[in-house]
Amino acid sequence: MNTPASYFDDQYAGATDPWHLGERWYDRRKYDLTVAALPRPRYPRAFEPGCSVGVLSELLAGRCEELLSTDRVASAVDATARRTSGLEHVTVRRMTVPDQWPEGSFDLIVLSELLYYFDTETRARLVRRSVESLSDGGHLVTAHWNHPVAEHTCTGREIADRLDSLTGLSHLARYDDPDFTLTVHEHRPGCPVLSPARAEGLA
């Protein structure tokens, strides 16, 4: 089953930042590693569903010309909007993925601490919509917790293994530690994947 909407509503009802994303070193380190793993210095258009209170959004904004951050919970959207209020190229919306999805294509889609809240079928649909929305050469980045949680339907490692098996995505990078797994995949149908060195003609 998908994690019910009431779970998230209850979490945010009791705290502005229920997972303390803006306070913990674990999260700051994870977000810094996520941004450092981006293969390009800049992205024209990026999408971050499940943005929570916008800590990662603020970091991604420094690498994007245009960033759309969304969440299903109104108070999370408000928190992200406040955090990014001085960044005119960041748009924050309330949106429930994958049933709701933005128009157009993206050069970067970041799914952070999101996919394991969905059942297998819905998770596959969300990933499929992400791949379909990526421009040629665009990147899909994921980061997910590896420890067991009652509300999670799988772990970060299981998500990473599944992404590696999908057609339409080419594996570029993966980072595993006991706490979370980070992956970078490139959407380049029929062409070899371009590492940062290859993209600059160094390899």
Side-chain angles (χ1 to χ4, degrees), residues 105-124:
S105 61
F106 296 92
D107 308 282
L108 172 67
I109 296 178
V110 178
L111 307 177
S112 180
E113 309 290 358
L114 176 68
L115 290 173
Y116 40 41
Y117 288 114
F118 299 97
D119 60 35
T120 302
E121 181 179 348
T122 309
R123 183 166 60 249

Side-chain angles (χ1 to χ4, degrees), residues 5-151:
S6 59
Y7 167 76
F8 300 98
D9 294 333
D10 291 344
Q11 292 291 325
Y12 284 100
T16 303
D17 183 3
W19 289 280
H20 306 284
L21 303 179
E23 303 170 10
R24 291 177 175 156
W25 165 242
Y26 161 77
D27 290 292
R28 181 66 196 205
R29 173 179 174 268
K30 177 187 64 180
Y31 292 149
D32 285 345
L33 286 169
T34 300
V35 174
L38 299 180
R40 296 182 196 162
R42 302 286 294 178
Y43 288 85
R45 190 167 188 247
F47 177 37
E48 180 206 9
C51 63
S52 188
V53 296
V55 181
L56 179 57
S57 309
E58 191 173 25
L59 296 175
L60 291 172
R63 301 285 294 275
C64 304
E65 303 298 331
E66 180 182 337
L67 172 64
L68 172 62
S69 297
T70 70
D71 203 280
R72 68 189 297 174
V73 181
S75 61
V77 171
D78 291 342
T80 300
R82 288 193 300 271
R83 186 180 292 272
T84 61
S85 61
L87 304 172
E88 295 183 356
H89 64 298
V90 177
T91 301
V92 186
R93 294 182 193 162
R94 189 177 185 185
M95 181 179 291
T96 301
V97 295
D99 294 328
Q100 297 173 308
W101 201 261
E103 296 181 355
S105 61
F106 296 92
D107 308 282
L108 172 67
I109 296 178
V110 178
L111 307 177
S112 180
E113 309 290 358
L114 176 68
L115 290 173
Y116 40 41
Y117 288 114
F118 299 97
D119 60 35
T120 302
E121 181 179 348
T122 309
R123 183 166 60 249
R125 185 156 53 95
L126 197 162
V127 170
R128 184 170 62 251
R129 297 204 74 168
S130 297
V131 175
E132 292 171 349
S133 296
L134 281 173
S135 58
D136 288 350
H139 293 126
L140 177 66
V141 176
T142 70
H144 292 86
W145 181 250
N146 278 324
H147 300 288
V149 176
E151 292 78 19

